[in-house]
């Protein structure tokens, strides 16, 4: 049965994401996600790629996590598109083979969905930038499994901690780890006075039922 594995540097990672403005919080003027959800938070970890020192910090934390928690990993697989650069950097640092997985098979050429060379006897760790519902991440897990690969876990930078995601990963039997998560971020934002206690309550309430949250 899959369980979320906790780490020790969640606050440090959350602080770096806030510093790079990869995460923005706005209760009064919420964001609209591509899913149509209304949200008081927006996370875009691609922004971190433009901050070399923060990027190096995040890369090192991802490497440490893979090395410590999945020492048997023989292949890393990035989730297109946002997980691709992080997976490539970690694979390079750890000297592991690397592939990435498209959201759908290529419509020309060989029609591949898994891009890159791999051997089926190598245990795979999936590299993702962000976990929301877990749907896109677990679709990649399914593609890898259908190709005959053993997925031993998934690692991401940030995790919203939605109950639906926990249930989905548990049902799929996939252990997942994140460098930081939503409760840690909100606690840090309160400590730094980026949000008020009243806003903290709204932010925490949103995460319990994000699909039906309509703002304040």
């Amino acid at each position: 049965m899959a369980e979320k594995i906790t780490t020790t540097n969640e606050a440090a990672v959350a602080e770096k994401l806030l510093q790079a403005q990869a995460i923005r919080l706005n209760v009064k003027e919420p964001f609209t996600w591509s899913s149509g959800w209304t949200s008081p938070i927006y996370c875009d970890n691609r922004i971190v790629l433009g901050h070399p020192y923060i990027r190096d910090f995040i890369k090192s934390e991802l490497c440490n996590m893979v090395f410590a928690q999945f020492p048997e990993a023989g292949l890393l697989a990035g989730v297109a598109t946002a997980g691709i650069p992080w997976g490539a950097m970690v694979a390079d640092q750890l000297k592991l083979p690397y592939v990435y997985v498209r959201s759908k098979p290529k419509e020309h050429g060989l029609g591949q969905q898994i891009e890159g060379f791999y051997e089926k006897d190598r245990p795979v760790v999936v590299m993702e930038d962000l976990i929301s519902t877990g749907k896109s991440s677990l679709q990649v897990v399914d593609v890898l499994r259908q190709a005959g690969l053993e997925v031993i876990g998934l690692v991401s930078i940030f995790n919203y901690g939605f109950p639906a995601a926990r249930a989905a990963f548990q049902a799929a039997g996939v252990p997942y780890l994140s460098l930081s998560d939503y409760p840690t971020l909100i606690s840090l934002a309160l400590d730094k006075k980026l949000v008020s206690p009243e806003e903290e309550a709204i932010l925490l309430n949103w995460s319990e039922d994000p699909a039906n949250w309509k703002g304040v």
Side-chain angles (χ1 to χ4, degrees), residues 6 27 45 52 54 63 68 77 82 94 140 154 164 199-200 214:
T6 57
V27 170
N45 291 322
I54 298 177
C63 288
L94 296 180
V140 166
L154 182 145
E199 289 173 325
E200 178 199 26
K214 302 301 180 185

Side-chain angles (χ1 to χ4, degrees), residues 33-189:
W33 287 5
S34 59
S35 62
W37 289 3
T38 300
S39 169
I41 178 174
Y42 191 78
C43 179
D44 183 2
N45 291 322
R46 295 175 180 86
I47 291 175
V48 176
L49 298 171
H51 297 269
Y53 292 103
I54 298 177
R55 182 183 70 211
D56 191 60
F57 173 79
I58 297 297
K59 179 194 74 174
S60 295
E61 290 298 303
L62 288 170
C63 288
N64 291 340
M65 181 171 281
V66 172
F67 184 78
Q69 301 291 346
F70 299 108
E72 70 274 35
L75 174 68
L76 300 186
V79 177
T81 58
I84 291 176
W86 298 105
M89 285 187 282
V90 173
D92 183 66
Q93 184 72 27
L94 296 180
K95 299 298 179 273
L96 287 172
Y98 179 65
V99 298
Y100 71 86
V101 183
R102 296 174 175 270
S103 58
K104 60 181 181 180
K106 192 187 299 184
E107 295 179 355
H108 58 278
L110 299 177
Q112 297 176 145
Q113 191 165 1
I114 302 174
E115 296 286 7
F117 172 79
Y118 60 90
E119 297 172 312
K120 292 185 179 181
D121 61 345
R122 292 178 176 266
V124 184
V125 173
V126 177
M127 303 299 298
E128 179 67 286
D129 78 318
L130 174 68
I131 296 174
S132 54
T133 64
K135 181 179 179 181
S136 60
S137 302
L138 290 173
Q139 285 176 341
V140 166
V141 170
D142 287 341
V143 170
L144 293 166
R145 285 174 169 173
Q146 288 169 15
L149 290 160
E150 178 193 5
V151 177
I152 59 173
L154 182 145
V155 171
S156 72
I157 298 172
F158 190 75
N159 179 6
Y160 285 111
F162 295 153
R166 289 195 294 272
F169 276 96
Q170 184 174 23
V174 180
Y176 66 106
L177 303 85
S178 300
L179 297 185
S180 192
D181 57 28
Y182 187 75
T184 301
L185 173 79
I186 300 307
S187 177
L188 179 66

